[in-house]
Amino acid sequence: MTKYLLLKHYRGAPAPVNDVPMDQWTPEEISAHMRYMRDFAARLQDTGEFVDSQALAPEGTFVRYDGAGCPPVTDGPFAETKDLIAGWMVIDVHSYERAIELAGELSAAPGAGRMPIHEWLEVRPFLAEPPTSTR
């Protein structure tokens, strides 16, 4: 089994087919989208392929090490909203092909008009530990 990150962007990938930003959806369209996401996760829980998922707010803070014990914090400048991460799902599957298959299904979550978004998802395998020497 290999873990993969299915990364959802607000608008950083190529434009989805149903290209209406979520802040322009009706409450019913948002509910339908969230229900699809929950149902998708529940189905993967049943197969043992679901690890975790979270939706992320667009707000955030940058922090970095400064060498003096008091890291600087800034509210920006941030990348444009189109570059922010909307959320993610971690899956644990037997193959890359299965990860791609599931990402394709997740891409069909409904959006405006309750029609599938056909959004692009970034599929990233978790970095595996390097082999350890037995010497």
Side-chain angles (χ1 to χ4, degrees), residues 32 59 72:
E59 301 84 26

Side-chain angles (χ1 to χ4, degrees), residues 7-52:
L7 195 56
K8 297 174 64 73
H9 296 270
Y10 276 116
R11 310 206 15 106
V17 173
N18 187 353
D19 192 22
V20 178
M22 191 178 223
D23 63 359
Q24 296 176 20
W25 297 358
T26 66
E28 294 79 18
E29 291 166 342
I30 292 171
S31 292
H33 181 82
M34 299 307 290
R35 185 172 42 259
Y36 183 96
M37 300 296 290
R38 283 191 304 273
D39 292 348
F40 184 82
R43 186 167 53 86
L44 296 185
Q45 283 176 328
D46 290 344
T47 64
E49 295 172 308
F50 179 81
V51 176
D52 193 17

Side-chain angles (χ1 to χ4, degrees), residues 11-135:
R11 310 206 15 106
V17 173
N18 187 353
D19 192 22
V20 178
M22 191 178 223
D23 63 359
Q24 296 176 20
W25 297 358
T26 66
E28 294 79 18
E29 291 166 342
I30 292 171
S31 292
H33 181 82
M34 299 307 290
R35 185 172 42 259
Y36 183 96
M37 300 296 290
R38 283 191 304 273
D39 292 348
F40 184 82
R43 186 167 53 86
L44 296 185
Q45 283 176 328
D46 290 344
T47 64
E49 295 172 308
F50 179 81
V51 176
D52 193 17
S53 68
Q54 294 293 322
L56 301 173
E59 301 84 26
T61 301
F62 283 107
V63 177
R64 71 171 170 81
Y65 175 72
D66 73 344
C70 184
V73 175
T74 181
D75 288 333
F78 287 112
E80 294 179 35
T81 301
K82 69 179 184 176
D83 297 325
L84 297 177
I85 299 168
W88 48 266
M89 179 176 286
V90 177
I91 57 174
D92 196 2
V93 294
H94 289 288
S95 68
Y96 171 77
E97 290 75 19
R98 178 66 174 153
I100 296 299
E101 175 185 348
L102 292 175
E105 290 181 39
L106 191 57
S107 171
R114 296 192 183 186
M115 299 300 295
I117 299 172
H118 299 280
E119 69 182 330
W120 289 91
L121 293 168
E122 190 174 343
V123 179
R124 304 270 308 267
F126 278 38
L127 184 61
E129 292 287 326
T132 57
S133 174
T134 57
R135 292 182 179 177

